[in-house]
Amino acid sequence: MDRHAESFLEMMAAERGAAANTLDAYRRDLEDYQEFLASRGGSLLTADADAVRDWLADQAVRGMAPRTQARRLSCLGQFHAFLVAEGRRADDPTSQVDAPHVGRPLPKILSESAVESLLAAARALPDAEGVMASALLETLYATGLRVSELVGLPFAAVARDPALLVVRGKGSKERMVPLSDPARAALASWRSVREAQLDGRASPWLFPSRGRSGHLTRSGFAKMLTRIAVKAGIDPLHLSPHVLRHAFASHLLAGGADLRVVQAMLGHADIATTEIYTHVQEDRLVRLVQGHHPLAAASTGRG
């Protein structure tokens, strides 16, 4: 590898604390870029914006996804900025190159029937485990909490008003989220057996555990969700706590909820973040029309 590229990687490791995986990826990116330039008689110090664009086009021909191309261009931008800072180049050719368009992926969601199967499987778990699992899943689906917010709920969050959940989210911002009747009932059942699970210990958490944090962890809940998914006949690879958050928002909007209300319940600072769920609804509508509209069905047979 070119000595300037090696110096760049050394700088990334020493000054910016880049992880080993990041350094390996950058090394592969720069090696690929250097080989491409060499095949055209160029070098890292002489490449211009057209050479960078040609490199990106070559990656597209090789089947690399736009997201991968964008990541590689980012690496290249940092490398050329390093060369300019070191006085090895007077310009950064990547500053004139537009990044490949990376469409925002639509969130994965579950159908309402799949959610019902999941909730039923949670309720079917034995004894206190089933009561706790039911309370967790009913609350998550009723409120759309982030998993960190869910597992870290203090006991006081439901002690003030059984119809409302007090949530402290990102930036320590507090919000009030209404609870559905099934969620209230599940939480009431859990509170009735929670103390027996503590063996005389006191805990400020709604879902306590014996771990260092004192409450159920994100990984602990994820493992529980995987077991429940298997019992419900749902592929665990297609399920995560965040997928249930997505389902909450998407199902609310499908039912006619106002976008601003969903934004407030999710705790999104910017409504643009919430608007992704309107795209999910648009995608569902397109599939619905294509699958059921008589003219759409007829058009598939037209030449």
Side-chain angles (χ1 to χ4, degrees), residues 214-237:
H215 59 71
L216 180 68
T217 62
R218 294 168 51 137
S219 61
F221 177 62
K223 291 175 182 177
M224 175 188 292
L225 189 58
T226 296
R227 294 197 305 273
I228 296 170
V230 171
K231 290 182 177 295
I234 298 172
D235 186 349
L237 295 178

Side-chain angles (χ1 to χ4, degrees), residues 90-159:
D91 65 324
D92 174 5
T94 66
S95 64
Q96 306 171 46
V97 179
D98 293 330
H101 176 70
V102 179
R104 188 174 183 180
L106 294 179
K108 297 177 181 177
I109 62 169
L110 291 176
S111 66
E112 293 180 30
S113 61
V115 172
E116 287 293 340
S117 298
L118 202 63
L119 294 173
R123 290 192 293 268
L125 292 175
D127 305 323
E129 182 185 11
V131 180
M132 181 181 183
S134 180
L136 284 161
L137 265 62
E138 288 282 7
T139 302
L140 182 55
Y141 181 56
T143 62
L145 297 185
R146 300 177 180 92
V147 63
S148 56
E149 296 170 343
L150 176 68
V151 299
L153 281 172
F155 186 75
V158 293

